[in-house]
Amino acid sequence: MITVSAVLLASLNVCSATADDSDEKEQTNEPVALSVAPLDHVEYPLDRPQWIEEGRTPLDSDDSDEVVIAITSGPAPTPEAAVEMMEVMALGAVENYVDQRLQETNSDVSSSDVAIDLDWVLNELVSRRYDGTVKTGDMVQYESACLLRMDGSHQEMLNRLVQNHELQGRLAAVGVLGVLCLVGLLSGSIFFGWLSSRQQRFAAG
């Protein structure tokens, strides 16, 4: 025969087990801390040069005529891709500098008309180089950076490239005008020769 105390004891055991299950469920529903950094989080090494962030824009005013531009590739999957991106961006920075200077002179020429050599940019303008790694999330990627310095002689070289292009354009225009004049003279000579021979045949007849 089941006694009242036995029933009460069984009920207490059931309630205790239910409470334990609820505690376990609450614990399992707690948010788990992320062990991987977000993909948009970029972590740079401690030995990354400070000049990468301190590079001045081309049109910043300064007591010196020297122009300093810092170029960085940003995270890339391979070292080769980082270097290629950096070189393309370095050439683009020089072309952008030329375009902005040409806008000040209201010139019709643009940097796309002027042949700026990539080797000249890399050999003459690059004063510092850096190649390293960065972490994006839990991935290790690569970065390539350079510091461009354009002093007065380099800026004069770019000005000469622009002037040479403008001179070639003027010479081409003069050449076209000369050809048109020559064609006009030849056409006139042929026409007058034909007219003269026609008059001679008419007089003889």
Side-chain angles (χ1 to χ4, degrees):
M1 183 175 181
I2 301 174
T3 64
V4 174
S5 59
V7 172
L8 292 175
L9 181 60
S11 300
L12 290 174
N13 289 336
V14 171
C15 293
S16 175
T18 304
D20 292 340
D21 292 341
S22 299
D23 291 341
E24 290 180 0
K25 289 181 180 179
E26 289 179 359
Q27 291 177 0
T28 56
N29 291 334
E30 290 181 356
V32 179
L34 293 176
S35 60
V36 178
L39 293 178
D40 58 351
H41 175 72
V42 180
E43 182 179 344
Y44 297 102
L46 296 178
D47 62 347
R48 187 174 187 256
Q50 189 65 28
W51 54 259
I52 297 177
E53 301 298 334
E54 294 177 350
R56 293 177 289 123
T57 58
L59 297 184
D60 279 349
S61 60
D62 196 286
D63 295 335
S64 172
D65 291 334
E66 188 177 64
V67 176
V68 180
I69 314 173
I71 304 296
T72 177
S73 65
T78 64
E80 294 78 12
V83 171
E84 183 177 355
M85 290 169 60
M86 180 272 294
E87 292 178 350
V88 171
M89 294 175 67
L91 179 60
V94 176
E95 291 176 341
N96 184 62
Y97 168 78
V98 171
D99 281 335
Q100 294 188 42
R101 293 306 181 193
L102 289 172
Q103 288 178 7
E104 296 176 357
T105 61
N106 296 322
S107 175
D108 293 333
V109 182
S110 67
S111 62
S112 59
D113 301 320
V114 181
I116 301 176
D117 186 55
L118 176 60
D119 290 336
W120 179 78
V121 172
L122 299 178
N123 296 329
E124 295 292 331
L125 304 186
V126 174
S127 62
R128 294 185 182 181
R129 278 287 306 271
Y130 168 77
D131 296 285
T133 59
V134 297
K135 286 190 67 176
T136 55
D138 62 341
M139 295 176 56
V140 176
Q141 294 190 300
Y142 301 88
E143 178 187 35
S144 184
C146 70
L147 189 68
L148 302 178
R149 289 186 181 273
M150 289 185 283
D151 58 21
S153 63
H154 298 138
Q155 297 174 47
E156 182 61 29
M157 177 66 181
L158 293 173
N159 289 335
R160 283 200 299 269
L161 288 176
V162 174
Q163 292 170 0
N164 289 340
H165 177 78
E166 292 175 337
L167 179 60
Q168 291 175 0
R170 287 194 292 268
L171 291 176
V174 171
V176 170
L177 181 59
V179 170
L180 291 176
C181 292
L182 181 60
V183 170
L185 289 174
L186 291 175
S187 299
S189 298
I190 294 172
F191 174 74
F192 286 116
W194 172 80
L195 184 60
S196 176
S197 62
R198 183 186 177 99
Q199 290 177 345
Q200 290 175 359
R201 286 198 302 270
F202 181 78

